[in-house]
Amino acid sequence: MIKKYTFLGYLLILFVYANQVYGQNEKEDKNQNDLGYTQLKALIANQKTDSLKVKTLQSYLSESKSRADTLGMANAYFFLANLIKEAKLQYADSLIEITKGKKYINYPARGYLLQGNTQYELGKYKEALELYLIASEAAKKNGNELQYRKLRFNIGLLKNTAGDRNEAQIIFLEHLDFLEKNPNLKGPNSYNKTLFALTDSYIYDDKFNLAGDYINKGIQETLRTEDLEVYSHFVVYSGMHQYFSKNYTQAIDSLNKGKELIKKVDDIETRTAICDYYLGRSYRALGSIEISLQYFKNVDHTLKETEDIIPELIDTYDYLIADAKSKKDLEQQIEYINTLLRLDSIRHANQIYLTKNINERYDTAELVAEKEKLIDELQEKTFLKEETIAILILFLITLVILVIYFFYRSHANKRRFLNLLEEQKNKDQGQPEFNTISNTISKKEEIDIPEEVIATVLKKLHGFEESVRFSKKQYTLNSLAKELQTNSAYLSKIINVHKNMNFANYLNNLRVDFAVGELTTDKALRSYTIKAIAEEVGFKNAQSFSSAFHKRTGIYPSYFIKQLNNG
């Protein structure tokens, strides 16, 4: 059963964007603490074109600036960000800058939300998650319960896509309970999509009984509220549920119905390609191979035409390549392999599972070798144009270079990881470290400081390193010098000569070495976010921690943690 990605994946952007996060039009105006937002929304709604809306907003922004009306400026930035996509991050930054620390019920949370949605659309899901968390905290701090819940729901969607289904299910169930206990906030749009999210998570978590319950409930609710769009997707999910439950005839019936319904409400061809994909698999399970191949060819046609890649659909080429191979159709095999390679590269640029590449189904070297063999056989039967041969050779050279590069990088990272573990083992066994007094005192003659002063400062530095106070407190050169009862000039020179680095690198390296030791021995710490680990060992943020860790060890902390957990 192939369930690496979810159907929800291709709907996720729709749901995330619709919320600004979703339900922008579902009673949110009641949460506004200013009339300006409602008036501005109505004002631009009356403009017939986007250009007129932008002009109106820019004029409103200028007037708000002249009045020093921060809330008016924030509202203008918010609407401009949604109209001018290429400047969304710039407007979001401006919005956050002017409202940070204010007690507006919707700001600065909306600014972080805009940034999060932009990062999501760029495929930067980790960054999106961090921004959603910041927005969530801001909404909660400013007392906007509905906005907080919507952001939590978005975080649940990301967790579900990332495979953290249990956590996602808890968030979805909490959100469903919140909507049911607050009927004044329970818009049909948000409620139906929450049911859909739960259905998706359960079906891909093999919880088929629960998935079936929510499919039935979702169908009833979408029919009752005349929500044809989400209803059509529930019908498709009903077919997928039947497929995973091995009820293939019922699956075919529901998938065909869902496909026709989706055509009426959605002109994006990839939606129907999902139906074709599961129809192909259902017919194949029933032994109707030729019929199944026709559906897989429909999927192939859609993917080539749209290049809108749903990772799940890539498996279509497993069946098509196998069929061409059984029929000894060499040209068709090459075409399908080329399409697979091209679409898979697109998937890499757009999907969260960047490591889930073509190696899951084919060893890259074997795939290249098979392709070369097919080309050789085809050349014996027909003459290829010189231009075609040149293109194929260039393609193969590029592919081989990429394979070698990724292999080398993986090997180098692994070697650095093992070296780091060995160094940590030596440290635990009491072997000398780079920063001990015995290894540094030999350089005392290089600076114009009395020997006894150098020895005293180095001894105190050793005590400072052993106490790991650097992980609990932020230090400057002056503050550490004061704590060690010396002056900053002496301390700076001693660290530069005897530690062979400046003060900032010295402090960062102490914290990185401490982090390595803690992560190696403390499994619980590995489950923290990078941001939380950074703060735990003394860094201000995740970026500075990751940068210092990589500079010190040659690998990033996320890779180090992953290797420890896999060991």
Side-chain angles (χ1 to χ4, degrees):
M1 191 178 296
I2 303 170
K3 294 179 287 184
K4 295 171 291 191
Y5 300 90
T6 69
F7 182 48
L8 184 64
Y10 81 82
L11 290 176
L12 196 56
I13 292 178
L14 171 66
F15 289 1
V16 169
Y17 185 76
N19 176 53
Q20 262 353 67
V21 174
Y22 65 79
Q24 178 74 26
N25 58 352
E26 289 183 5
K27 308 177 179 64
E28 187 167 330
D29 289 341
K30 294 182 180 179
N31 287 328
Q32 296 296 327
N33 60 356
D34 68 298
L35 294 174
Y37 175 88
T38 306
Q39 293 170 349
L40 184 58
K41 184 178 179 181
L43 181 64
I44 61 175
N46 290 329
Q47 308 303 315
K48 294 182 179 180
T49 66
D50 285 350
S51 60
L52 286 174
K53 291 177 181 179
V54 169
K55 188 175 181 180
T56 300
L57 286 168
Q58 289 173 336
S59 175
Y60 185 90
L61 177 61
S62 179
E63 292 174 7
S64 297
K65 286 181 177 179
S66 67
R67 298 194 307 268
D69 180 3
T70 304
L71 191 55
M73 292 162 59
N75 288 331
Y77 283 136
F78 175 74
F79 286 112
L80 282 167
N82 284 291
L83 278 170
I84 308 175
K85 305 305 178 187
E86 61 273 13
K88 180 184 287 188
L89 285 176
Q90 180 183 340
Y91 286 124
D93 287 339
S94 299
L95 191 162
I96 292 168
E97 183 64 29
I98 65 172
T99 60
K100 190 181 293 184
K102 306 286 187 182
K103 291 295 182 181
Y104 300 134
I105 196 166
N106 284 305
Y107 303 112
R110 273 188 175 153
Y112 292 117
L113 173 61
L114 286 167
Q115 290 182 330
N117 289 348
T118 302
Q119 295 301 327
Y120 177 86
E121 291 162 11
L122 293 172
K124 298 179 179 179
Y125 302 115
K126 289 183 180 179
E127 290 84 350
L129 178 58
E130 288 299 321
L131 288 162
Y132 288 153
L133 289 170
I134 295 171
S136 177
E137 291 173 6
K140 193 172 185 179
K141 182 179 179 181
N142 290 346
N144 192 331
E145 178 71 7
L146 179 59
Q147 190 179 53
Y148 169 73
R149 293 288 179 173
K150 290 175 179 180
L151 282 157
R152 282 272 295 168
F153 179 79
N154 261 25
I155 292 168
L157 290 174
L158 279 173
K159 285 182 175 291
N160 195 50
T161 301
D164 297 332
R165 305 203 188 285
N166 288 332
E167 293 182 32
Q169 289 158 19
I170 291 171
I171 292 173
F172 296 153
L173 287 169
E174 286 177 355
H175 194 72
L176 201 64
D177 182 64
F178 169 77
L179 292 175
E180 289 174 344
K181 288 180 179 178
N182 296 273
N184 60 314
L185 302 176
K186 181 184 172 183
N189 185 270
S190 59
Y191 187 73
N192 291 343
K193 287 173 181 175
T194 307
L195 292 175
F196 183 86
L198 266 171
T199 300
D200 173 271
S201 191
Y202 283 140
I203 201 168
Y204 284 98
D205 203 19
D206 291 340
K207 297 176 181 177
F208 295 122
N209 289 336
L210 287 170
D213 291 342
Y214 279 96
I215 287 171
N216 292 333
K217 189 172 184 177
I219 287 175
Q220 291 173 6
E221 284 295 316
T222 49
L223 285 174
R224 185 181 66 81
T225 57
E226 298 181 352
D227 187 350
L228 183 59
E229 180 183 4
V230 180
Y231 168 73
S232 65
H233 294 304
F234 268 114
V235 174
V236 173
Y237 251 133
S238 176
M240 292 167 61
H241 178 257
Q242 294 292 352
Y243 169 79
F244 288 130
S245 301
K246 300 183 179 181
N247 300 321
Y248 303 119
T249 302
Q250 296 93 319
I252 290 169
D253 181 63
S254 294
L255 288 165
N256 277 321
K257 290 179 181 176
K259 182 178 178 180
E260 292 306 311
L261 287 168
I262 285 176
K263 285 180 180 178
K264 296 178 181 178
V265 297
D266 198 331
D267 58 359
I268 299 178
E269 293 181 56
T270 319
R271 311 291 195 254
T272 56
I274 280 283
C275 300
D276 285 330
Y277 174 71
Y278 280 100
L279 281 165
R281 293 182 66 180
S282 297
Y283 275 112
R284 189 175 187 84
L286 290 173
S288 301
I289 304 301
E290 290 303 317
I291 297 177
S292 74
L293 287 170
Q294 187 55 56
Y295 284 106
F296 291 136
K297 288 176 182 178
N298 290 347
V299 176
D300 170 55
H301 174 76
T302 300
L303 292 178
K304 286 177 179 175
E305 188 173 274
T306 65
E307 293 193 345
D308 182 9
I309 310 303
I310 300 172
E312 193 169 9
L313 299 184
I314 295 292
D315 296 318
T316 294
Y317 293 97
D318 290 348
Y319 305 111
L320 293 175
I321 291 171
D323 176 64
K325 190 172 184 178
S326 69
K327 295 174 180 176
K328 298 182 179 180
D329 188 338
L330 301 180
E331 290 184 355
Q332 195 69 69
Q333 286 183 71
I334 292 172
E335 180 186 343
Y336 286 140
I337 289 173
N338 281 338
T339 302
L340 173 59
L341 290 167
R342 181 171 58 83
L343 296 179
D344 201 70
S345 68
I346 296 172
R347 180 185 70 170
H348 286 202
N350 294 294
Q351 297 297 328
I352 190 171
Y353 289 108
L354 297 179
T355 58
K356 298 282 188 182
N357 54 35
I358 200 168
N359 291 324
E360 293 178 341
R361 297 174 308 281
Y362 301 98
D363 180 86
T364 303
E366 290 181 358
L367 182 58
V368 173
E370 181 182 358
K371 183 174 179 179
E372 289 174 340
K373 181 181 177 182
L374 291 172
I375 291 171
D376 288 340
E377 291 177 6
L378 192 60
Q379 283 179 324
E380 292 176 2
K381 298 179 181 179
T382 185
F383 293 101
L384 295 177
K385 293 182 179 179
E386 291 183 3
E387 293 85 350
T388 304
I389 297 174
I391 291 171
L392 288 171
I393 291 173
L394 181 61
F395 173 80
L396 289 172
I397 290 173
T398 304
L399 188 59
V400 170
I401 290 172
L402 286 173
V403 170
I404 292 172
Y405 167 74
F406 285 113
F407 174 80
Y408 173 78
R409 188 175 68 174
S410 175
H411 179 72
N413 284 341
K414 186 69 174 180
R415 186 177 64 251
R416 290 170 187 146
F417 169 75
L418 293 174
N419 289 341
L420 198 54
L421 284 187
E422 184 65 24
E423 290 173 9
Q424 185 61 37
K425 181 180 177 182
N426 292 338
K427 179 180 176 182
D428 293 340
Q429 293 175 351
Q431 297 185 21
E433 302 172 52
F434 79 96
N435 55 4
T436 60
I437 294 175
S438 61
N439 283 344
T440 57
I441 199 72
S442 61
K443 294 190 177 182
K444 59 183 179 293
E445 70 278 4
E446 297 183 17
I447 50 178
D448 187 21
I449 299 175
E451 293 180 12
E452 62 273 15
V453 173
I454 294 173
T456 299
V457 171
L458 285 173
K459 185 176 180 180
K460 289 180 179 179
L461 275 176
H462 182 71
F464 169 70
E465 294 160 6
E466 292 295 320
S467 71
V468 299
R469 295 193 301 276
F470 51 78
S471 69
K472 306 299 180 186
K473 179 180 175 182
Q474 295 298 320
Y475 280 94
T476 63
L477 180 64
N478 288 333
S479 66
L480 181 57
K482 185 177 180 180
E483 185 174 304
L484 300 182
Q485 297 179 324
T486 186
N487 64 64
S488 58
Y490 278 9
L491 182 59
S492 178
K493 287 182 180 180
I494 290 170
I495 290 174
N496 272 283
V497 173
H498 290 270
K499 304 297 182 180
N500 294 313
M501 63 190 78
N502 62 30
F503 174 76
N505 287 337
Y506 166 70
L507 200 57
N508 282 346
N509 286 349
L510 286 178
R511 288 167 175 163
V512 169
D513 290 345
F514 178 65
V516 169
E518 292 298 294
L519 289 169
T520 303
T521 57
D522 189 349
K523 290 184 178 179
L525 184 63
R526 298 175 208 162
S527 64
Y528 288 15
T529 64
I530 297 298
K531 180 182 178 183
I533 295 171
E535 293 172 352
E536 190 74 16
V537 300
F539 285 91
K540 291 182 179 180
N541 54 60
Q543 184 176 356
S544 60
F545 172 53
S546 293
S547 177
F549 197 100
H550 186 267
K551 182 177 180 181
R552 177 69 166 163
T553 67
I555 58 178
Y556 288 100
S558 56
Y559 177 84
F560 182 66
I561 293 168
K562 181 179 178 182
Q563 292 300 314
L564 285 173
N565 289 335
N566 291 340

